Amino acid sequence: MQTIVVEGQKYDNFSMMEINKEETGDNPIQKSSTFTRRKLLLGGAATAAVVLVKSSFGKMVQTAVPENIYIPADPTKIPGPPSGTLGTRSPFENPLKKSSATSSRTPLQDLYGTITPADLHYERNHAGVPAIDPNKYELLIHGMVEKPLVFTLADLKRFPAFSRICFLECSGNFRTGKEEMTPQEICGLTSQSEWTGVLLSTLFKEVGIKPKASWFLAEGSDAAVMTRSIPLKKGLEEGMIVYAQNGEAIRPEQGYPARLFLPGWEGNTSVKWIRRIELSDQPFMTREETSKYTETIKDGKVRQFSFDMDARSIITYPAYPVQVQKGWIEIRGIAWSGRGKIVKVEISTDAGKSWLPARLQGPILDKAHTYFRHLWEWRGGETELLSRAIDETGYTQPTMGQLINARGNDMGGYHLNPITAWRIKRDGTVLFKPENKS
Amino acid sequence: MTGDTKYLEVHWWQVNIKKLKSKLVITVAVLFILFNVVGCIGQNEKAKLSSSINTDTEPGNALDQTDWPEKLKIGRIASPAEIAAKDIDVRPDGTGLPPGSGTAIDGKAIYLVKCASCHGQTGIEGPENQLVLSPKAQATGKKQKDSKVIGNYWPYATTLYDYINRAMPFNAPGSLTSVEVYNLTAYLLYANKIIKEGQLITAKSLPLIEMPAKNKFVADDRRGGAEIR
């Protein structure tokens, strides 16, 4: 049994640690008097930690431990805690989503690859996250079908399964307005997972789609009873009902126990907590696809059923709030397209005057985040770093100016995918260059 | 240079690996032949082995369903009553609307009790989504920026019934009776100057209402490729 002594108190079975970053005010971890005293003694400069320990009564308690006590000077001289039942992040890593009442954003600047840890996947809901008993879950498929059927979760899992790595992105994934913005704040409403479930084509074969059917309604069982009309063609080609994400059951925030997944399409169409699919020969014109997820374009027109997410990229390093030093810097980021594979990402280190191809990390997947890198020597001059994605349809990620030219000054706030520029100041500070809509 | 001589040196372990490699090649070849011979027993297996590796990365070629049965016989048949209970959507042609009717006068009374705290006393003030065109917008006919108001942005009147019925009020979704929903629909249409105050809204009349915004809506014309749209 391992015993850790913290300022005169004794704890057994040291099993889990969590750090408390003082600057993270929005998700406070319980602070004990030990923590406060330590903070006062060291003028708030020391990083203290909070650990979960088992008390002598076997109950898990949370307590603060100064860093110099629980991190030994030489880890080879003290055996570490025994293996546990659930892995945890290093206490030194504290990536967090940035949340509002209806959404939360993936910390893109804290990630090194293309698979988003499930607990950091972005969230967008319209009436909260419903709690659904998987044993009571049912999916009804009816309407223009030969045989309306109800599937339990166990039924869905009995069907031949399919896995696919794809990004998901909210069509409202664009923020601007000030220089002090992180990639998470600018476009953190995109994440990527390996999704596993059953192909819609498999389920549609089981119910038998009538020849005249051309659309289907997808309905969720959240308090918004979210509904979207989806062209049957998309469902047959690559739609899925997914029940797993990155190998484990899908998270409640992502639609537990099952959601629709439509690769490359605006996130709202991948209806979460799906309970019903109704086949039809026309769209249903729900609120979400008429007065919500539509956008004004030129001549007072409103673009509807704008499903595809156009190609986009963002440099996630260096990006605000990091400060860089002179010398070699590997510029890193992600690029993606809802229309297929990324074929090229170009980087400009001179504010768009010249462009060089970035190296793409394979495998490059269809409708998936693709990691890019570009080695660059910064000699200390002020400049701007930009990236632009090119997809297999020949589409090149536009500037905000090009989007305004195409859609007019009154263009709506959805499907904005402009090139993001980062300003490098002489002192190495990296600032977002806000692109104003008008 | 030292680097060059090092490169030319052949160490004992490199030789051994070469030997190992050749042994491995022979083993793999033998196994391959064995597999092919065995495969002759079942033509199907052989065909699969000789073709390129089929990775299930894209749904198009992912699941070769040719050897699947017509039906997997999973799931249970949904009864008409069960479907009727779950099928709550209302379509632009009125399909799905229940019997009943409503008026703006009755709707206003319900609105003030159940909706005004979020959408404002007259549907303009908020704090949540604006529902009614402001008097200025009504007078000039000009759209206010980013306001997706019923009077200038909702293309179908039936959507009002569907949405209020499924998702409102926000703190008690699904709690309204069909008469309450008809009344609220009538009130919001009246407040946006789309119907007259006394006009009765029914399952028959609602789909016939022409919404001012209907002609604004156009299908997505983005198609990928070089053009920015």
Side-chain angles (χ1 to χ4, degrees), chain A residues 17-20 35 46-51 63-67 70-71 91:
Chain A
M17 299 180 288
E18 272 187 44
I19 202 157
N20 182 358
F35 175 87
T47 307
V50 171
V51 298
T63 188
V65 184
E67 189 181 318
Y70 83 90
I71 303 293

Side-chain angles (χ1 to χ4, degrees), chain A residues 142-188:
Chain A
H142 70 112
M144 297 179 81
V145 299
E146 301 295 340
K147 192 171 65 171
L149 289 172
V150 173
F151 303 107
T152 64
L153 185 61
D155 288 339
L156 292 177
K157 290 178 179 175
R158 276 181 66 199
F159 279 102
F162 180 65
S163 289
R164 189 167 172 187
I165 295 169
C166 283
F167 77 88
L168 194 66
E169 183 180 19
C170 176
S171 58
N173 189 22
F174 176 72
R175 290 285 180 280
T176 185
K178 58 175 183 175
E179 291 183 313
E180 297 82 12
M181 288 179 80
T182 63
Q184 178 175 28
E185 289 166 319
I186 297 160
C187 74

Side-chain angles (χ1 to χ4, degrees), chain A residues 272-288:
Chain A
K272 295 189 274 192
W273 314 291
I274 190 162
R275 73 175 190 188
R276 187 167 72 93
I277 288 174
E278 182 176 1
L279 278 298
S280 160
D281 57 0
Q282 56 183 298
F284 292 70
M285 299 298 178
T286 71
R287 179 255 183 174
E288 312 303 330

Side-chain angles (χ1 to χ4, degrees), chain B residues 94-116:
Chain B
T95 307
L97 279 169
S101 65
T103 61
I105 298 151
D106 290 346
K108 186 174 184 179
I110 301 162
Y111 178 88
L112 290 173
V113 174
K114 298 192 173 180
C115 317

Side-chain angles (χ1 to χ4, degrees), chain A residues 150 205-206 276 278 302, chain B residues 71 73 76 89 159 216:
Chain A
V150 173
K205 193 179 167 196
E206 200 67 18
R276 187 167 72 93
E278 182 176 1
V302 177
Chain B
K71 302 280 179 189
K73 292 176 183 165
R76 65 171 173 82
D89 57 81
T159 309
K216 291 179 180 178

Side-chain angles (χ1 to χ4, degrees), chain A residues 201-235:
Chain A
S201 59
T202 305
L203 296 178
F204 285 166
K205 193 179 167 196
E206 200 67 18
V207 294
I209 303 293
K210 289 191 174 166
K212 282 189 176 166
S214 54
W215 289 79
F216 66 89
L217 183 78
E219 184 178 87
S221 48
D222 56 333
V225 202
M226 174 57 59
T227 38
R228 285 297 302 257
S229 303
I230 310 294
L232 177 60
K233 188 169 176 281
K234 177 71 173 182

Side-chain angles (χ1 to χ4, degrees), chain A residues 138 148 150 162 205-206 219 225 276 278 285 287 292 294 301-304 308 310 393 407, chain B residues 62 71-73 76 78 87 89 91 129 148 153 159 166 215-218 220-222 225 229:
Chain A
E138 284 184 335
V150 173
F162 180 65
K205 193 179 167 196
E206 200 67 18
E219 184 178 87
V225 202
R276 187 167 72 93
E278 182 176 1
M285 299 298 178
R287 179 255 183 174
K292 177 68 180 165
T294 52
K301 295 293 177 191
V302 177
R303 183 178 279 165
Q304 190 182 22
D308 298 87
D310 280 325
T393 72
R407 301 178 192 172
Chain B
K71 302 280 179 189
L72 292 165
K73 292 176 183 165
R76 65 171 173 82
D87 186 2
D89 57 81
R91 301 188 203 182
N129 290 15
K148 295 184 169 181
Y153 206 88
T159 309
R166 72 173 59 243
N215 293 330
K216 291 179 180 178
F217 284 77
V218 293
D220 185 12
D221 62 350
R222 297 172 305 140
R229 294 185 190 223

Side-chain angles (χ1 to χ4, degrees), chain A residues 76-313:
Chain A
T76 68
K77 299 295 180 278
I78 303 171
S83 56
T85 53
L86 194 64
T88 57
R89 290 202 169 90
S90 159
F92 295 101
E93 301 296 328
N94 192 27
L96 288 173
K97 292 197 270 191
K98 199 172 179 73
S99 65
S100 72
T102 56
S103 69
S104 63
R105 297 163 166 270
T106 295
L108 299 174
Q109 65 279 0
D110 295 334
L111 305 179
Y112 302 91
T114 55
I115 297 291
T116 311
D119 58 358
L120 296 175
H121 194 289
Y122 89 86
E123 248 181 278
R124 173 75 174 98
N125 61 61
H126 294 70
V129 178
I132 297 167
D133 181 347
N135 297 313
K136 291 179 182 160
Y137 171 83
E138 284 184 335
L139 171 64
L140 166 67
I141 304 183
H142 70 112
M144 297 179 81
V145 299
E146 301 295 340
K147 192 171 65 171
L149 289 172
V150 173
F151 303 107
T152 64
L153 185 61
D155 288 339
L156 292 177
K157 290 178 179 175
R158 276 181 66 199
F159 279 102
F162 180 65
S163 289
R164 189 167 172 187
I165 295 169
C166 283
F167 77 88
L168 194 66
E169 183 180 19
C170 176
S171 58
N173 189 22
F174 176 72
R175 290 285 180 280
T176 185
K178 58 175 183 175
E179 291 183 313
E180 297 82 12
M181 288 179 80
T182 63
Q184 178 175 28
E185 289 166 319
I186 297 160
C187 74
L189 294 177
T190 184
S191 310
Q192 177 150 287
S193 297
E194 182 201 56
W195 304 98
T196 300
V198 50
L199 285 174
L200 264 184
S201 59
T202 305
L203 296 178
F204 285 166
K205 193 179 167 196
E206 200 67 18
V207 294
I209 303 293
K210 289 191 174 166
K212 282 189 176 166
S214 54
W215 289 79
F216 66 89
L217 183 78
E219 184 178 87
S221 48
D222 56 333
V225 202
M226 174 57 59
T227 38
R228 285 297 302 257
S229 303
I230 310 294
L232 177 60
K233 188 169 176 281
K234 177 71 173 182
L236 287 171
E237 281 172 0
E238 51 184 351
M240 296 174 73
I241 299 294
V242 298
Y243 45 74
Q245 177 184 14
N246 298 343
E248 63 173 340
I250 194 167
R251 300 261 169 148
E253 299 86 350
Q254 300 313 318
Y256 183 85
R259 79 179 299 172
L260 178 62
F261 189 77
L262 300 172
W265 279 20
E266 59 181 19
N268 178 248
T269 60
S270 287
V271 173
K272 295 189 274 192
W273 314 291
I274 190 162
R275 73 175 190 188
R276 187 167 72 93
I277 288 174
E278 182 176 1
L279 278 298
S280 160
D281 57 0
Q282 56 183 298
F284 292 70
M285 299 298 178
T286 71
R287 179 255 183 174
E288 312 303 330
E289 62 212 15
T290 53
S291 67
K292 177 68 180 165
Y293 291 103
T294 52
E295 51 274 358
T296 45
I297 49 171
K298 278 182 176 169
D299 306 321
K301 295 293 177 191
V302 177
R303 183 178 279 165
Q304 190 182 22
F305 298 123
S306 41
F307 296 122
D308 298 87
M309 298 307 297
D310 280 325
R312 190 173 183 184
S313 69

